[in-house]
Amino acid sequence: MQIITSTVQEPAAQALSFETPLENALYIDIETTGLSAQQDRIWMIGCACFQGDSWHITQWFDDTGNSEKDLLVSFLAYANPFGAFVHYNGDRFDIPFLTRRIEAYRIENTTINKRSIDLYKYVKPFRKLLALPSYRLSSVVEFFGKTEAATPSGKDLIALYSSFLGNHLPETVRTLSAHNVSDLAALLRISPVVLLRRIFGAELTAESARANRYHDAEGVFRQEVIISCVPSRDMLAEQEDLPAGDETLIQRDADASRCSSSLWVRPVTASADGCYFTTDGTHVTIKVPLYCQEMKYFYANYKDYYYLPGQDLAMHKSIASFVDSSRREQAKAENCYTRKTSSFLPEWDAFRAPFFKKSYKDSGIFFEFTQEMKKDKDFFSAYATYIYRHIVQA
């Protein structure tokens, strides 16, 4: 068995501190002779831990083809002080494979039962939002603006290891080691994905809002409201009972902003139901269509109303009973409304009441955008958050 060590620098991995202290984490990646933990074996375990100001990589390499047990024992002893394993899709492969191989040798083990931080699970809900072509680790790395160096495929890697056992060429060891180091470096690089849930679930604070008028691609005149926002100061920090000026919270805010910025190599834009947002992780711009037209408010208890065809509106029977019977009729659900011409903004689950519709069968609902709202920063913050989350969850 060989033990190979090296170091790498990766500032982006600081983001992991929002899940667990860096000194508590051990990034792991294993190389195996196949996919079956019963029939195949592990020939390399690579790990990375934070020491000083860099990431120290240690690799256990089975250079004889029969040192798997020694490799496992040495790795478990090394990993024992750490509280969490960090990996990519390791809950489905690395951890079960390690567990099965440890059990196969009947090695006494408590080390493997640690907290598992599977970076794949942080990415999975947001693949569409991030426009990732696949869930492959290489796709996530490319999102961060880096392209992984060409390394052997899994199948080629197994063949290369098999050839090494026959000739023991040092350059082959370097190639095998480099592949594993590359995977570990990729894990470090994508660590800011642990912030995705917090970022996309953040409360937004509106900094400014303005109306915009334009013609769309078909030449149709449109209006929209553009809201410029920042995530609220406790976006990434857990809720804590700290004074507003507490230096600890201020530092966490600074760390959150820095880590968030490292995530967004390029802005992320998403849309749903005609609404859009763009974010670089520290700023969010929301665009919402503004409708300046007539809308209808439909009364739910239509049996208590008469419809007046001449005025095209519904009126409660307590009042409409004084109208000549020839000028009124029993209201129906589809004509039990009153009309209003104003400015309206979209909603989907009664963000503001009362809600209006263009017609009875129209699925879209809207609320009136009043003059008071136009001057209310708290309203814009709440509405921007509402739109942001609606798009994220679409």
Side-chain angles (χ1 to χ4, degrees):
M1 178 183 70
Q2 291 185 35
I3 298 180
I4 307 167
T5 60
S6 58
T7 61
V8 297
Q9 298 286 337
E10 185 46 80
Q14 297 288 328
L16 187 71
S17 63
F18 288 92
E19 285 296 313
T20 187
L22 297 185
E23 296 76 11
N24 188 55
L26 190 67
Y27 288 77
I28 63 169
D29 183 66
I30 67 173
E31 310 295 349
T32 68
T33 58
L35 300 178
S36 172
Q38 290 181 316
Q39 301 176 4
D40 298 302
R41 55 192 174 82
I42 299 170
W43 55 264
M44 180 175 282
I45 301 176
C47 68
C49 65
F50 190 69
Q51 296 179 16
D53 60 354
S54 61
W55 292 90
H56 288 245
I57 292 179
T58 304
Q59 297 169 292
W60 292 263
F61 177 51
D62 181 358
D63 58 352
T64 64
N66 55 20
S67 302
E68 184 186 28
K69 182 177 180 180
D70 295 336
L71 176 151
L72 290 167
V73 171
S74 182
F75 164 73
L76 291 172
Y78 182 90
N80 188 58
F82 298 92
F85 286 135
V86 187
H87 43 77
Y88 190 82
N89 207 23
D91 282 345
R92 293 185 61 186
F93 183 73
D94 299 68
I95 301 301
F97 205 108
L98 277 166
T99 301
R100 183 63 64 88
R101 298 312 298 162
I102 291 167
E103 292 173 348
Y105 290 108
R106 298 182 180 178
I107 300 171
E108 185 176 346
N109 165 55
T110 56
T111 300
I112 204 70
N113 300 318
K114 298 181 183 294
R115 181 188 175 190
S116 177
I117 300 177
D118 192 337
L119 301 181
Y120 165 80
K121 292 181 178 179
Y122 291 84
V123 173
K124 186 178 180 181
F126 305 110
R127 176 187 169 187
K128 179 181 177 181
L129 202 61
L130 302 178
L132 298 175
S134 73
Y135 286 116
R136 294 177 63 86
L137 179 59
S138 58
S139 294
V140 184
V141 173
E142 288 177 9
F143 172 79
F144 287 87
K146 289 192 175 183
T147 302
E148 289 188 283
T151 57
S153 66
K155 183 177 180 180
D156 291 340
L157 204 65
I158 294 170
L160 193 61
Y161 174 65
S162 181
S163 71
F164 165 79
L165 295 177
N167 54 40
H168 289 80
L169 294 176
E171 56 266 31
T172 306
V173 178
R174 288 192 289 271
T175 301
L176 295 171
S177 172
H179 173 89
N180 185 252
V181 169
S182 177
D183 283 347
L184 289 168
L187 293 178
L188 295 170
R189 183 66 187 90
I190 71 167
S191 296
V193 299
V194 301
L195 303 178
L196 287 173
R197 295 173 185 170
R198 291 176 170 92
I199 290 172
F200 288 132
E203 297 280 342
L204 299 181
T205 298
E207 292 188 318
S208 65
R210 63 184 178 87
N212 182 47
R213 298 173 176 82
Y214 67 100
H215 288 86
D216 65 18
E218 298 178 352
V220 179
F221 177 75
R222 304 286 187 187
Q223 297 187 71
E224 64 184 357
V225 174
I226 302 176
I227 312 171
S228 297
C229 315
V230 293
S232 298
R233 68 193 307 266
D234 59 352
M235 172 191 75
L236 302 177
E238 299 295 331
Q239 297 292 335
E240 298 180 37
D241 295 325
L242 295 173
D246 190 282
E247 292 183 0
T248 302
L249 186 55
I250 293 172
Q251 182 59 46
R252 290 195 69 178
D253 287 342
D255 291 342
S257 178
R258 186 162 52 253
C259 291
S260 179
S261 295
S262 71
L263 174 59
W264 309 103
V265 174
R266 59 179 180 270
V268 169
T269 299
S271 64
D273 298 316
C275 302
Y276 299 81
F277 79 72
T278 299
T279 180
D280 61 1
T282 56
H283 292 83
V284 181
T285 299
I286 304 286
K287 293 185 178 183
V288 187
L290 176 64
Y291 300 88
C292 298
Q293 63 184 77
E294 181 182 275
M295 294 273 187
K296 296 174 181 178
Y297 172 73
F298 288 85
Y299 300 104
N301 52 334
Y302 64 90
K303 292 183 179 180
D304 294 335
Y305 285 80
Y306 283 122
Y307 174 65
L308 309 184
Q311 300 181 51
D312 188 23
L313 57 80
M315 186 177 293
H316 197 273
K317 288 182 176 179
S318 62
I319 300 174
S321 58
F322 296 100
V323 177
D324 189 278
S325 60
S326 64
R327 297 169 57 192
R328 58 180 167 84
E329 61 186 57
Q330 173 60 50
K332 302 175 184 177
E334 57 267 27
N335 65 12
C336 190
Y337 56 73
T338 186
R339 297 174 290 117
K340 187 166 190 176
T341 299
S342 186
S343 298
F344 298 90
L345 290 172
E347 60 181 341
W348 296 271
D349 50 11
F351 171 78
R352 283 287 189 276
F355 65 84
F356 295 78
K357 302 177 71 173
K358 294 179 181 179
S359 67
Y360 180 73
K361 293 185 178 180
D362 188 35
S363 59
I365 60 175
F366 307 83
F367 65 91
E368 185 180 7
F369 185 34
T370 65
Q371 290 297 324
E372 291 75 15
M373 291 176 184
K374 296 174 183 179
K375 304 173 184 178
D376 188 349
K377 186 175 179 180
D378 289 340
F379 160 76
F380 282 115
S381 295
Y383 188 56
T385 300
Y386 173 77
I387 295 296
Y388 188 54
R389 292 181 176 174
H390 176 74
I391 296 174
V392 168
Q393 296 165 10

